[in-house]
Amino acid sequence: MPASSPIVAPSILAADFARLAEEARAVEQVADWLHVDVMDNHFVPNLTIGLPVVQSLLAATSLPFDVHLMIENPRRWAPAYADAGAYNVTFHAEACDDPVALAKDLRAAGAKAGLAIDRDTPIEPYLELLPNFDTLLIMTIKAGFGGQRFIPELLDKVRTARRHVDAGHLELRIEVDGGISPDTIEQAAAAGADAFVAGTAVYSAADPAEAVRQLRRLAERAIGQA
Ligand code: DX5
Ligand code: ZN
């Protein structure tokens, strides 16, 4: 059972990109992290923002940045996001042949290090690497686009990771990303997640801050019952 209170991280992928600073500030008082999806049109077909935009956005809000790199060759690019001041930098296991070395580089640059596991990637080969990481991001969709339907079967990976983390007394957040909403967050929390990314559920709501509060209430309740 996760010991920590839940982290709620709105994803700006679902925000208005012409008003990113305002959209970030709309959740500043209620969110724990701001989830920033960097996509390179190679690792995933989609293309979003890169380092210059992230740097500007960092200056515009006090929220800690949870940078989710969906890019090829993260060893080349990821440390710059740590240098820029991101709180946590997550890269994909599928894109990196030496995840532990990159985790060390990120930590040396002053950031938390995150490992992301995409829809079709098993978790087992990566469990032994987890002591080198601060966050484990388990995709609950196929990485690449917001607004997709949550895949409940992928929570088996969350359960496996939770057992491993608890048995090893690891200090690691288990984060879920994709289709997290008031309809799905409780099952993700009950499976062992303790960090929740939500794009559409926050930024398509009439009141994004209230949407964050509601997600937190639901996650807290489900964690309390797990
Ligand atoms: C998709 C991104 C997600 C995305 C989630 O690859 O990693 O962070 O913003 O969006 P929703 O919450 O709409 O599924
Ligand atoms: Zn993401």
Side-chain angles (χ1 to χ4, degrees):
M1 181 178 132
S4 330
S5 56
I7 293 282
V8 181
S11 166
I12 56 162
L13 188 60
D16 177 351
F17 271 45
R19 301 173 53 252
L20 279 182
E22 294 96 314
E23 297 272 62
R25 287 190 207 111
V27 295
E28 212 166 54
Q29 303 304 317
V30 291
D32 300 284
W33 302 341
L34 190 69
H35 186 82
V36 178
D37 289 303
V38 173
M39 306 189 191
D40 69 349
N41 177 230
H42 290 276
F43 180 72
V44 289
N46 203 358
L47 179 69
T48 57
I49 57 173
L51 188 59
V53 179
V54 173
Q55 283 170 323
S56 295
L57 197 54
L58 272 162
T61 171
S62 58
L63 278 170
F65 275 29
D66 177 37
V67 175
H68 178 192
L69 298 175
M70 284 160 276
I71 63 171
E72 287 182 353
N73 198 4
R75 283 204 80 176
R76 163 73 180 81
W77 301 105
Y81 290 86
D83 290 337
Y87 173 76
N88 179 71
V89 180
T90 290
F91 61 90
H92 269 265
E94 303 84 9
C96 189
D97 53 15
D98 194 347
V100 172
L102 181 48
K104 289 195 170 119
D105 289 348
L106 291 169
R107 284 174 162 183
K112 308 274 187 202
L115 185 68
I117 306 287
D118 206 353
R119 181 191 66 187
D120 300 327
T121 305
I123 188 90
E124 285 77 8
Y126 299 100
L127 292 175
E128 67 192 44
L129 309 187
L130 295 184
N132 299 283
F133 287 89
D134 304 287
T135 58
L136 170 67
L137 188 157
I138 297 177
M139 296 302 304
T140 38
I141 54 167
K142 169 93 178 138
F145 296 92
Q148 301 182 65
R149 200 181 65 82
F150 177 80
I151 305 171
E153 291 76 17
L154 297 177
L155 292 180
D156 284 345
K157 289 194 252 187
V158 174
R159 292 184 193 97
T160 300
R162 173 52 60 197
R163 279 195 296 274
H164 188 83
V165 165
D166 287 355
H169 304 290
L170 303 180
E171 280 194 32
L172 179 110
R173 288 276 179 181
I174 300 178
E175 185 173 5
V176 281
D177 184 5
I180 298 298
S181 74
D183 293 333
T184 59
I185 193 166
E186 290 166 288
Q187 49 185 302
D194 60 1
F196 304 88
V197 176
T200 306
V202 170
Y203 282 111
S204 69
D207 182 345
E210 180 50 31
V212 171
R213 284 191 211 99
Q214 183 192 10
L215 289 169
R216 183 187 308 288
R217 281 194 297 272
L218 292 168
E220 277 171 355
R221 205 174 62 192
I223 286 174
Q225 289 167 357

